[in-house]
């Protein structure tokens, strides 16, 4: 058993002041965009895009870390999710985003991290499939976590929150196969 708290909430990823890091559903160039990337860059201010220039471009599945600028969080972890049906294998690349983000959080000794539903917006990943990949990848990592004690999934709609909650309840606690 693990004592890491994992929860699914409805809300805005850019308004999670009690988290050490928030995850950005980034584009390859780590520039402001629509959806999550728009909300995060708007709240962080132009310093975030400036810092990100040196970190870009990134590949699908990869995660990089920057400071949080005007966000209430110390760090932003930027992940490039797979474009559904284009970047293959999509499920492994999506799982890599969650695993790599958690590994960065551990490297930086963070205790809390909040994720959005990576790839489920303009990148077209069906929410139900994305939820089961995400929750399996997170649950598989729980036994390896030392500093991270709190993982939050922040879903924009209550319908998506319910889908992620269901996936959390049925995720294997270890031994994911991706
Ligand atoms: P991607 O390009 O990885 O698909 P998007 O930002 O387009 O990323 O969307 C990812 C998911 O995040 C979608 O389900 C979308 O509804 C949701 N979303 C959009 N804005 C926010 C926000 N401010 N906070 C949390 N989730 C958001």
């Amino acid at each position: 058993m693990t004592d890491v708290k994992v929860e699914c909430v409805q809300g805005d990823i850019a308004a999670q002041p009690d988290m050490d890091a928030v995850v950005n559903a980034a584009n390859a160039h780590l520039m402001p965009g629509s959806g999550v990337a728009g909300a995060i860059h708007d709240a962080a201010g132009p310093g975030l895009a400036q810092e990100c220039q040196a970190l870009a471009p990134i590949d699908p599945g990869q995660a990089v870390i920057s400071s949080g600028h005007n966000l209430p969080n110390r760090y932003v972890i930027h992940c490039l999710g797979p474009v559904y049906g284009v970047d293959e294998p999509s499920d492994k690349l999506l799982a890599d985003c969650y695993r790599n983000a958690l590994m960065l959080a551990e490297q930086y000794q963070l205790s809390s991290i909040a994720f959005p539903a990576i790839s489920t917006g303009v990148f077209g990943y069906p929410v139900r499939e994305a939820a089961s990949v995400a929750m399996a990848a997170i649950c598989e990592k729980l036994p390896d976590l030392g500093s991270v004690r709190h993982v939050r999934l922040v879903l924009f709609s209550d319908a998506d929150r319910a889908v992620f909650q269901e996936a959390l309840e049925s995720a294997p606690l270890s031994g994911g196969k991706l």
Side-chain angles (χ1 to χ4, degrees):
M1 280 305 287
T2 164
D3 59 355
V4 181
K5 177 176 179 181
V6 184
E7 63 179 348
C8 303
V9 305
Q10 187 272 324
D12 178 354
I13 191 69
Q16 304 298 320
D18 57 331
M19 294 281 113
D20 289 338
V22 288
V23 173
N24 181 17
N27 49 62
H29 297 286
L30 305 181
M31 286 297 111
S34 60
V36 167
I40 284 183
H41 280 272
D42 280 355
L48 180 62
Q50 227 166 357
E51 181 184 356
C52 281
Q53 278 176 12
L55 304 172
I58 63 170
D59 295 320
Q62 199 182 339
V64 294
I65 191 165
S66 73
S67 64
H69 296 267
N70 296 337
L71 279 160
N73 319 96
R74 281 159 64 203
Y75 296 101
V76 178
I77 296 177
H78 307 262
C79 291
L80 178 60
V83 176
Y84 191 70
V86 174
D87 299 314
E88 297 291 356
S90 290
D91 52 358
K92 181 189 174 293
L93 293 171
L94 185 60
D96 284 347
C97 288
Y98 289 92
R99 291 190 280 246
N100 288 330
L102 286 171
M103 278 166 49
L104 270 178
E106 283 288 314
Q107 273 173 34
Y108 280 72
Q109 296 279 296
L110 308 186
S111 64
S112 54
I113 178 170
F115 288 94
I118 298 167
S119 283
T120 64
V122 295
F123 285 2
Y125 215 114
V127 171
R128 201 161 282 280
E129 285 176 43
S132 87
V133 171
M135 298 319 309
I138 290 168
C139 289
E140 176 201 338
K141 274 269 165 218
L142 294 181
D144 303 333
L145 299 178
S147 66
V148 174
R149 302 284 88 195
H150 189 173
V151 179
R152 177 179 294 160
L153 279 292
V154 180
L155 296 315
F156 216 29
S157 70
D158 198 55
D160 288 354
R161 186 206 54 77
V163 171
F164 270 71
Q165 182 67 39
E166 203 180 302
L168 170 59
E169 282 157 21
S170 54
L173 265 181
S174 62
K177 288 174 235 65
L178 295 173

